[in-house]
Amino acid sequence: MPDVRFGVLGPVAAWCGEDPVEVGSGKCLRVLGVLLLHANQRVDREQIIEGAWDDGPPKSAVNLIQKYVGEVRRSLELDNGSLRTEGTGYLLRVAPDQLDSTQFASRLARARETRSDGDLTAARQHLAEAMTLWRGPAFSGLDTPAATTERLRLEEYRLGALEDLAELDLLRGEHALAVPELSRLADEHPYRERARELLMLALYRTGRQGDALAVFHDIRRLLAEELGADPGHGLQRVHAQILRADPALDVAAATGEPRPIAQLPADIPDFTGRAGTLHELLDLLAERRVVVVAGAPGTGKSALAVRALRQAGDAFPDGQLYLDLAGTSAVPRDPAMMLAELLRALGVTDAVMPPGLHERAALYRSRLADRRMLVLLDDVAGAQQVRPLLPPSGGCAVVVTSRHRLADLAGAEHVELDVLPARDARDLLARIAGAERVEREPEPADAIVRLCGRLPLAIRITGARLASRRAWTLQVLRERLEDESRRLRELRVGDLDVRANFDLSLRLLPGEAVRAFRLLGLLGAETLPAWVIGPLLGHPAGDDVLDTLVDAYLVRLVTTDRAGQPRYRLHDLLRAYASEGAQDRYPAEERRAAVERVLSAWLALAEQARDLCYPSLFRPTPGRAPRWTPDHTVVDPIAWFDAERGTLLRAIELAAEWELDELAWELAVAAVPYYDHRSLYQDWNRSHQIALATARAAGNAHGEAALLQGLGQVHIYLDEMAEARDDLHRCAQLYRGIGDQRGEGLALASLGTVHRVRGELDAALTVDKEALAHVVAAGHRQAEAQIRTAIGIIGFEQGAGDAGSWIEDGLRIACRLGDRHRQAVILRTLSRYHQGIGDTPAALRDLTEALTIFNEINDERCGAYTDQRLGAIYAEAGDRSRADSALRRAAHVFRLNGDRSNEAACRQQLGELESELGDAAAARHHLSLAVGLWRAVGLPERAEEVQAALDAVRD
């Protein structure tokens, strides 16, 4: 590339050496602007088209873009390595010294470095040189959303640099020089509190005390009228110092020895709970340690720190220092400025104040070297901000409070605060609102504490509201808090405001983390795996975003689930706050798209887990919901389903809330093998009913049919045959209406099962043969094998001579398909036929072969069913040892899988077997377990039957 430089700090421009280059038409400049906005990155052609035309692009836009890019390349004499075509996009390579915005950032960094080294003159020179690069608003003339975002970002850096320039003038004693620039900055950007604070200081030091106070009154009025807010800590501090003519503001003040000081804020008289944490903190202070008290917003970090430091005060006779580091403000306080404040408290005046950060830190440590003092550094943004403020080890102890984990603060001990235990939370409410009121309404009191999430700040606010409204009952406040849409509005009294407190935690987070946090609020109260961040944001996201939220205590790591996934959740109030923020800031289409991506990811994983359980009977549907492939793979499907059981139900509810009918029914259907495996009939029914209402409302016949198929199977399991028949009949009608022979065949096959269980064998045979015709026509060989087996069993029960051949036909089909699971299931069915015709050895061979297959494919549950049948046949054949072994294996698996009905049947068989063997103690053990299990599953008549056998057992 020739000696080309680019400019974006103003209108997009280019220079060759010192000479400006005419790039071409205005469209060419816009094209160059888009390429520079994404310098050294591939820019898709659609992005360039968006930047080139304000209104709709012409039909020839693609050809025109190629032309404009060619003109840019020719006018700047760029070779293919500098500006190259990549697929349907382009990439412009730009070195750091070729782009003015990169040079600006570099000079800002050099200014910070030289300032930290104490060279204020060099730091000012670097800043001044950086400001000369600006020619107007960045990317002027380019109005894409990405350009607007970058323009705002660069403007924020520009304003910060101007404030830094003025602050350097104040540090160098050139107060009059700083006044005009700060006045202009305050007029043009009236809400920038740092500019106002510096202006007040500059005016005061030039003898204009009245003007300095007027600046404060002006910003206080503006904030109150426009935002309903008060000036920040820095402005209020300078205002108070001016009112009392604090010598610390006077650069000509004489140096004096510090007197013992006590800067700690007042203790909270109704401080409640935290006894163990307080004791731990006092022990660390006694060891003269640096302690970080960290936790989520509103957990009472500062209150605990003040309580501990006041109790430890007698061991530190030289006093206490206190600093609010404003870590949650838009601009955290500069360590050099705060060191000056600490040194002034220790008797050092501005006249002898060292100019540089390192010199001030060294003097600060020298002043504290022989003292025994407590230091509270409140609201710290990060370790870098606090390191220069730490006293030397030895006589002093330090408590740092922060909403962030300060893992990189070497040598510090960490105390993490969570919400209050339930008892302490209730006690705090009683101390503020009144113990008699809480005792009079215990249930509403507990509900208020729960709705506050046991967060100390929220409880303090509700207690204060109750204390100021003596006519209210606790039930009144409970009802107001139960409305989640207004809960955060209720949690505000005076200057205590939960929402405002949460706002502070978001100020300094990266935009990506803030967006992820807000969108997480849409997903509900369930614990969530880490991979949801990617689909929420719409692009693969690393661990950084989630780590940022965890370190800021906005998201909590709860546990690691059975599948090995760390799981996270938001505190209930933070979730309400996040959801509210998402609704306020993102349009419904964007929120819907984020939820849809997450649900699609859950569906992809659920189907992956389902297919690992056993081959699916459900095929992909035409026009199915768009998919998102998560950055996660299922290894153990049952462990995965166990971990996601609650979130899958919530996912189906979310799909219903957003009217995503395809995702709702597909999620419900994908979980069927798991519900079947765990006998989770309540979850199965609930998930399908939620999805069914959504599918019907959307007129989704395919989804309705699939859900009715699943509900019919649940009714069969629960022996609700009338309901099963109705659902399956409707299911078959729907499939017939949409011309789905495969679906209709499966529905009819299940309907045949209903008829067979009801003893309606002729009807069952008719329906099954109709089902067979449909699945054969649809080419569904697996279902054909299953239905042929069912027809064989019906024929066997009717005494048909060809029953065995039907079952064997089904077995041959399964073998040809290589479907080992179905092969084993049919072998188990064939054993019934062989046993029924008196061929017990053949029945045992069938079951032994089936069990071998189930063990090889790791299907424990089907293996347990097979062991259960083996046990019954061995017992009938008099082989009690093998019967006992098989039944014990089956009972163990059923217990692990929560299948209490089948475990009860095994225990009953084992008890009867042990009774026949003469082991009364073992018989009583198994029969007692069987009685309890039959009662637990709601079959008292079976329990009474086993109880009678138990009573008959004799020692």
Side-chain angles (χ1 to χ4, degrees):
M1 181 183 290
D3 184 18
V4 175
R5 292 184 297 109
F6 299 101
V8 296
L9 300 181
V12 176
W15 298 269
C16 186
E18 297 299 323
D19 300 324
V21 177
E22 291 293 333
V23 176
S25 66
K27 290 289 191 293
C28 288
L29 277 174
R30 288 191 177 194
V31 168
L32 176 60
V34 175
L35 293 171
L36 290 170
L37 180 63
H38 304 282
N40 300 310
Q41 301 176 36
R42 179 185 174 277
V43 188
D44 197 70
R45 187 168 55 208
E46 282 69 26
Q47 292 176 271
I48 302 177
I49 291 173
E50 180 186 15
W53 282 275
D54 290 329
D55 302 321
K59 292 182 179 178
S60 59
V62 172
N63 293 332
L64 288 173
I65 288 299
Q66 292 174 344
K67 173 188 171 186
Y68 298 146
V69 171
E71 289 183 22
V72 169
R73 183 181 282 119
R74 284 191 297 274
S75 61
L76 296 174
E77 299 180 16
L78 303 177
D79 56 30
N80 289 333
S82 301
L83 176 54
R84 69 169 187 252
T85 303
E86 288 196 352
T88 59
Y90 301 91
L91 185 148
L92 176 62
R93 293 197 177 279
V94 180
D97 60 351
Q98 289 182 292
L99 187 61
D100 57 1
S101 59
T102 308
Q103 291 177 309
F104 175 69
S106 176
R107 289 175 184 176
L108 290 188
R110 285 202 295 273
R112 286 194 295 270
E113 291 172 4
T114 50
R115 175 173 172 168
S116 296
D117 293 336
D119 192 343
L120 302 185
T121 302
R124 193 187 192 286
Q125 181 178 352
H126 287 310
L127 283 175
E129 290 174 356
M131 298 311 301
T132 63
L133 296 169
W134 284 82
R135 298 170 289 107
F139 289 98
S140 179
L142 191 63
D143 295 323
T144 65
T148 301
T149 299
E150 182 65 4
R151 182 159 44 247
L152 293 173
R153 185 184 74 85
L154 289 169
E155 177 66 7
E156 182 63 27
Y157 279 115
R158 186 184 74 85
L159 295 175
L162 288 173
E163 290 169 344
D164 289 345
L165 268 172
E167 187 175 38
L168 285 168
D169 288 336
L170 294 180
L171 289 172
R172 296 164 68 237
E174 297 178 356
H175 313 302
L177 182 65
V179 170
E181 182 62 28
L182 286 169
S183 297
R184 184 183 65 79
L185 201 56
D187 288 341
E188 294 177 357
H189 304 277
Y191 296 108
R192 293 190 73 87
E193 295 194 17
R194 186 185 178 209
R196 300 265 189 163
E197 181 183 337
L198 293 170
L199 178 58
M200 289 171 65
L201 190 57
L203 289 168
Y204 179 79
R205 289 183 176 175
T206 53
R208 299 167 61 182
Q209 177 178 335
D211 290 338
L213 293 173
V215 170
F216 179 81
H217 293 307
D218 180 56
I219 185 64
R220 181 168 63 182
R221 176 191 55 76
L222 180 68
L223 291 173
E225 292 178 357
E226 300 292 333
L227 304 177
D230 294 323
H233 168 81
L235 280 169
Q236 294 189 37
R237 175 180 54 80
V238 173
H239 177 249
Q241 287 178 301
I242 291 173
L243 287 176
R244 66 174 184 266
D246 191 337
L249 295 180
D250 187 359
V251 295
T255 303
E257 286 299 315
R259 67 185 191 282
I261 53 177
Q263 294 186 334
L264 284 181
D267 196 4
I268 297 176
D270 51 24
F271 183 91
T272 303
R274 307 288 194 201
T277 308
L278 180 61
H279 182 73
E280 178 186 0
L281 187 50
L282 288 170
D283 285 346
L284 292 169
L285 292 177
E287 298 174 8
R288 283 19 182 199
R289 304 297 294 272
V290 175
V291 187
V292 177
V293 178
T299 48
K301 300 177 291 294
S302 298
L304 174 68
V306 170
R307 170 59 59 103
L309 290 171
R310 287 199 170 276
Q311 290 191 9
D314 290 344
F316 299 87
D318 293 320
Q320 312 100 32
L321 292 169
Y322 170 78
L323 268 181
D324 180 353
L325 278 70
T328 50
S329 67
V331 182
R333 300 182 66 195
D334 178 39
M337 297 291 284
M338 290 186 290
L339 277 169
E341 186 174 328
L342 290 169
L343 288 169
R344 291 186 193 108
L346 293 168
V348 179
T349 63
D350 285 358
V352 295
M353 185 73 67
L357 172 67
H358 297 311
E359 291 84 353
R360 289 181 183 180
L363 180 58
Y364 170 67
R365 290 192 294 271
S366 297
R367 287 277 178 164
L368 293 181
D370 298 322
R371 296 172 185 262
R372 289 179 292 168
M373 297 191 74
L374 290 167
V375 181
L376 174 54
L377 303 174
D378 202 16
D379 192 17
V380 171
Q384 185 176 6
Q385 187 191 27
V386 80
R387 283 193 194 99
L389 310 178
L390 297 179
S393 58
C396 298
V398 183
V399 174
V400 174
T401 71
S402 180
R403 299 187 183 198
H404 301 271
R405 286 180 172 84
L406 304 183
D408 52 342
L409 191 60
E413 295 288 337
H414 287 74
V415 174
E416 296 195 357
L417 290 193
D418 200 350
V419 296
L420 288 170
R423 184 182 185 87
D424 288 345
R426 181 188 168 105
D427 288 346
L428 177 59
L429 180 66
R431 294 191 66 176
I432 301 171
E436 291 183 1
R437 296 174 75 182
V438 169
E439 290 173 4
R440 190 163 56 246
E441 296 183 80
E443 186 179 342
D446 289 340
I448 289 171
V449 166
R450 175 179 51 79
L451 292 167
C452 288
R454 295 186 276 119
L455 189 72
L457 174 62
I459 296 169
R460 188 167 295 284
I461 290 171
T462 55
R465 295 196 72 192
L466 289 168
S468 64
R469 294 165 174 80
R470 305 302 298 180
W472 274 15
T473 63
L474 270 65
Q475 180 63 23
V476 169
L477 183 56
R478 171 190 181 171
E479 291 171 358
R480 294 169 74 115
L481 290 173
E482 281 178 337
D483 183 354
E484 188 169 304
S485 66
R486 61 180 289 176
R487 188 175 303 161
L488 291 174
R489 294 199 300 274
E490 296 293 334
L491 294 175
R492 179 180 180 181
V493 60
D495 61 351
L496 295 178
D497 185 345
V498 166
R499 184 191 284 107
N501 196 268
F502 290 168
D503 285 342
L504 297 176
S505 285
L506 293 192
R507 282 187 178 178
L508 296 181
L509 291 183
E512 192 89 319
V514 173
R515 183 165 176 261
F517 169 73
R518 287 176 176 146
L519 293 175
L520 276 169
L522 302 175
L523 301 184
E526 298 292 336
T527 64
L528 300 167
W531 59 256
V532 300
I533 298 295
L536 265 185
L537 295 176
H539 59 77
D543 295 333
D544 291 348
V545 172
L546 189 56
D547 287 345
T548 297
L549 295 175
V550 170
D551 288 344
Y553 292 93
L554 294 174
V555 172
R556 187 159 58 98
L557 174 61
V558 180
T559 186
T560 298
D561 60 36
R562 280 190 58 193
Q565 301 177 110
R567 301 192 74 83
Y568 302 83
R569 71 170 297 170
L570 278 67
H571 182 279
D572 288 345
L573 291 181
L574 281 168
R575 180 175 52 79
Y577 168 75
S579 177
E580 178 186 272
Q583 293 176 43
D584 289 345
R585 288 164 178 81
Y586 309 134
E589 295 80 9
E590 183 176 349
R591 301 197 308 274
R592 178 188 175 92
V595 170
E596 187 171 1
R597 288 192 298 268
V598 174
L599 296 181
S600 295
W602 254 313
L603 177 59
L605 289 171
E607 290 182 332
Q608 186 184 135
R610 176 198 66 190
D611 293 340
L612 286 172
C613 286
Y614 57 77
S616 172
L617 293 178
F618 306 101
R619 61 181 177 179
T621 55
R624 66 173 297 143
R627 291 296 177 85
W628 177 275
T629 303
D631 184 18
H632 182 72
T633 302
V634 175
V635 177
D636 182 337
I638 298 302
W640 185 88
F641 270 122
D642 284 342
E644 300 295 344
R645 176 182 170 186
T647 50
L648 280 174
L649 275 175
R650 174 57 186 155
I652 295 165
E653 290 173 349
L654 265 178
E657 290 168 13
W658 285 96
E659 298 180 352
L660 298 167
D661 53 289
E662 284 289 321
L663 281 167
W665 81 258
E666 289 185 341
L667 278 163
V669 166
V672 163
Y674 169 68
Y675 294 148
D676 193 4
H677 182 83
R678 288 288 197 215
S679 302
L680 298 173
Y681 303 134
Q682 185 174 352
D683 285 11
W684 189 339
N685 183 69
R686 176 170 169 73
S687 67
H688 278 51
Q689 293 291 356
I690 294 169
L692 182 62
T694 307
R696 281 176 170 165
N700 189 328
H702 194 283
E704 182 181 354
L707 293 163
L708 288 171
Q709 174 90 49
L711 285 169
Q713 188 61 49
V714 175
H715 290 313
I716 291 172
Y717 284 153
L718 296 176
D719 200 26
E720 298 167 349
M721 295 304 161
E723 292 86 347
R725 181 192 57 208
D726 292 344
D727 284 346
L728 291 168
H729 183 69
R730 172 63 178 160
C731 172
Q733 286 181 325
L734 286 167
Y735 277 130
R736 188 177 306 123
I738 61 178
D740 187 339
Q741 288 207 79
R742 176 183 184 277
E744 185 181 357
L746 292 173
L748 290 171
S750 295
L751 193 58
T753 300
V754 172
H755 286 305
R756 185 167 60 80
V757 172
R758 290 166 62 96
E760 302 162 353
L761 298 184
D762 290 339
L765 189 61
T766 300
V767 169
D768 273 344
K769 287 186 175 179
E770 185 181 355
L772 181 63
H774 283 297
V775 299
V776 168
H780 190 355
R781 298 285 282 165
Q782 288 177 316
E784 180 186 351
Q786 174 185 329
I787 296 170
R788 285 186 179 279
T789 303
I791 291 173
I793 285 296
I794 295 170
F796 167 66
E797 292 176 358
Q798 288 183 319
D802 61 349
S805 63
W806 279 96
I807 301 173
E808 288 166 354
D809 285 346
L811 182 60
R812 277 192 293 273
I813 293 172
C815 291
R816 281 198 296 271
L817 291 172
D819 186 344
R820 304 193 71 211
H821 183 275
R822 193 168 304 280
Q823 178 186 348
V825 170
I826 295 174
L827 280 168
R828 195 170 60 205
T829 305
L830 187 59
S831 73
R832 291 178 54 197
Y833 169 76
H834 282 140
Q835 187 181 11
I837 63 174
D839 192 348
T840 299
L844 289 172
R845 284 196 302 272
D846 296 334
L847 291 171
T848 302
E849 186 178 352
L851 183 61
T852 300
I853 294 173
F854 285 134
N855 288 339
E856 288 174 353
I857 64 176
N858 296 316
D859 190 334
E860 287 187 340
R861 190 162 180 254
C862 282
Y865 290 138
T866 309
D867 263 327
Q868 189 175 16
R869 284 192 52 74
L870 273 171
I873 295 178
Y874 281 133
E876 186 177 324
D879 192 340
R880 291 183 173 85
S881 174
R882 288 182 176 175
D884 182 78
S885 178
L887 290 170
R888 284 179 183 272
R889 287 196 305 269
H892 176 71
V893 172
F894 289 139
R895 181 175 61 80
L896 291 179
N897 285 277
D899 188 343
R900 292 181 292 181
S901 295
N902 279 298
E903 184 188 356
C906 286
R907 294 294 180 186
Q908 181 176 348
Q909 288 174 289
L910 281 166
E912 293 167 353
L913 188 62
E914 296 292 356
S915 179
E916 291 176 11
L917 292 172
D919 190 337
R924 282 197 299 272
H925 170 73
H926 290 299
L927 292 172
S928 296
L929 289 174
V931 169
L933 288 165
W934 285 127
R935 285 175 178 160
V937 296
L939 292 174
E941 64 282 359
R942 295 294 300 271
E944 290 174 9
E945 172 191 329
V946 180
Q947 184 64 53
L950 178 60
D951 293 339
V953 174
R954 295 287 184 267
D955 288 329

